[in-house]
Structures are given as structure tokens and as C-alpha cells.
Amino acid sequence: MPYESKIVAGVEITPLCDAVGPMGTRISKPLPEMFPGGSFADDAEWVLHFHCYLLRAEGRTVLVDTGVGGTDSPAAEWAPVPGHLLTELADVGVGPDDVDVVVLTHLHSDHASGCVEAGVPVFPNARHVIQQAELDWVTGPMRQDVVEPLRDSIQVVNGDEGLLPGIRIVHAPGHTPGHQCVEVGDHILTGDALHHPVQLADPTITYVYDEDPEQAVVSRLALLRRAAVIAPGHFSQAFVPVRSTYPVRSI
């Protein structure tokens, strides 16, 4: 079942949990190697929550990220497939045909695989919003199995851009070149700008799989300066207050 919704700046935000589980052994590393400089208990295990977010405003329905996809998706080599996004959407009364816009924060397999199944777009009436820098960067199965089937429905953006009243795209590169977040009032849906709570305690801690770790830090700090609450992709909590955890004066 989805988390409790909240209304921010006239936009209803509903967190959806597509999957929960540890990172698969193909890419998993000890936490101190994943987040150099972070402090962890010796037996700490990273259990990821794979969040998507549903936004509803002025009769429009926006889905932010589409999760891990099915058992044959590009995420199947390392993520807990199949995802449960469609069930989560159905629980709040939304079917695939009802989605007007899909925002893909980036084109990693655990964030974008759920928008294509068997070579066919899952959300047939939606435009899929992706940064040009991300399209220029993506290769391999994600280009072949996700981008190509979506080609006719992609809305290309370059940098920050208003999406709908109360909803804004914010380019936040570093994890990938075209990584983007979604800003709703003082809440920011951060995608993979932050991966683990240790980065909220110290935003300068990098992540081993960031394409550009230094740029990721710059983007992360900028987002945390602006946000009162973040809605991250992989924390156990769907909404995390920023100010109480990492005071403005320290950022």
C-alpha cells in the first residue's frame, strides 16, 4: 500500500513503494566503500526502498519515476524485481491510461524500467520528460529497451523548467549528467541526488556510482539549501525534513 499523501502548494503528493530489498551482489559493496567517509556499524546492511511519486494537480496526473520494472527488465540483474508500481497506483485509483506525464529523474534501470513492458510503453497517454543531457549519455539496454520504445512520447528538456502549475523540473547533475529533480513548493523529490541518510547528515559524502561525484555534491548542497522537506528515491521514509537534520547554517 502507498504511504499517506500530503498536499503541498496545491499539489497532492502520494509516495508509492515499488520495491524493497538489498542491492544485488553484482554491484553491491560494503557501505564504507559505497559512501567513502561515512560511518556505519560493522554489520550494517543497506536495504533500499524504491520510491516513485504520484502528483495530482488541476486535473492532471504526474508520475515521477517508474521503478524497477518486471522480471525481464534491465534492473533484473541487481534489483528486487518485479516492481509493484501498477498495484500501488491502482490502490489510489490510478490506471496506466490516467497518467498524463511521466518524469524520469534519470535513466538508471531502477528508476525508468517500469515505463516499458515487452517493448511497449506502460503509460500510453503520457509524455515522458527527460533531460537532453541524459538522452545524450544513456547507452546499452536502457537506450535499447526503454528510450527507443518511448521515442515518440519523449518531451526533451534542457535545464530547469516549469512542468505544470506548482510543479517544476530542476536539473541536478552529478549522479548522471541529466539527473533531474521535481520541486513542489518547499518539497523536492530528489531522485538519486541523495541515496542514503548518511548524505543528509553530511552532503559532501559521495556515492561510488555517481558519474561525477564532485558535481553531485554541488547539486546536493543546492537542493538542500532550497528544500524544507525532501522526498528521496531510496530512503525508508518517503518524506524527510531537512532543517531538523541538517541546519541551514551548516549547508
Side-chain angles (χ1 to χ4, degrees), residues 26-27 101 111-112 201 226 239:
R26 190 177 71 83
I27 62 172
V101 182
H111 289 258
R226 294 167 61 174
F239 296 113

Side-chain angles (χ1 to χ4, degrees), residues 51 79 90 111 116 142 221 251:
H51 290 148
H111 289 258
V116 174
M142 288 304 295
L221 287 167
I251 300 179

Side-chain angles (χ1 to χ4, degrees), residues 123-210:
F123 305 101
N125 299 323
R127 51 191 169 107
H128 294 73
V129 180
I130 307 172
Q131 290 282 333
Q132 181 65 62
E134 196 75 358
L135 292 169
D136 293 341
W137 165 81
V138 70
T139 60
M142 288 304 295
R143 175 171 289 280
Q144 177 181 329
D145 298 339
V146 174
V147 173
E148 291 299 331
L150 294 178
R151 179 169 297 280
D152 293 339
S153 68
I154 292 175
Q155 177 184 341
V156 178
V157 293
N158 288 282
D160 298 356
E161 186 166 318
L163 185 66
L164 291 169
I167 303 173
R168 183 170 180 80
I169 299 294
V170 178
H171 186 209
H175 182 56
T176 63
H179 184 278
Q180 59 187 356
C181 301
V182 178
E183 188 173 51
V184 181
D186 61 2
H187 287 47
I188 298 182
L189 285 59
T190 55
D192 276 358
L194 295 93
H195 284 83
H196 190 282
V198 72
Q199 294 179 298
L200 190 55
D202 182 354
T204 66
I205 290 175
T206 58
Y207 176 57
V208 68
Y209 292 121
D210 284 338

Side-chain angles (χ1 to χ4, degrees), residues 6 46 53 85 96 120 127 129 133 148 157-158 162 165 193 244:
K6 61 163 49 178
W46 188 21
Y53 291 87
L85 176 60
V120 178
R127 51 191 169 107
V129 180
E148 291 299 331
V157 293
N158 288 282
S244 61

Side-chain angles (χ1 to χ4, degrees), residues 54-63 86 88-102 122-128 164:
L54 181 71
L55 310 179
R56 289 188 273 202
E58 298 190 354
R60 307 298 299 277
T61 300
V62 179
L63 181 62
L86 294 183
E88 292 275 291
L89 286 169
D91 286 343
V92 294
V94 174
D97 292 351
D98 300 325
V99 177
D100 300 302
V101 182
V102 172
V122 170
F123 305 101
N125 299 323
R127 51 191 169 107
H128 294 73
L164 291 169

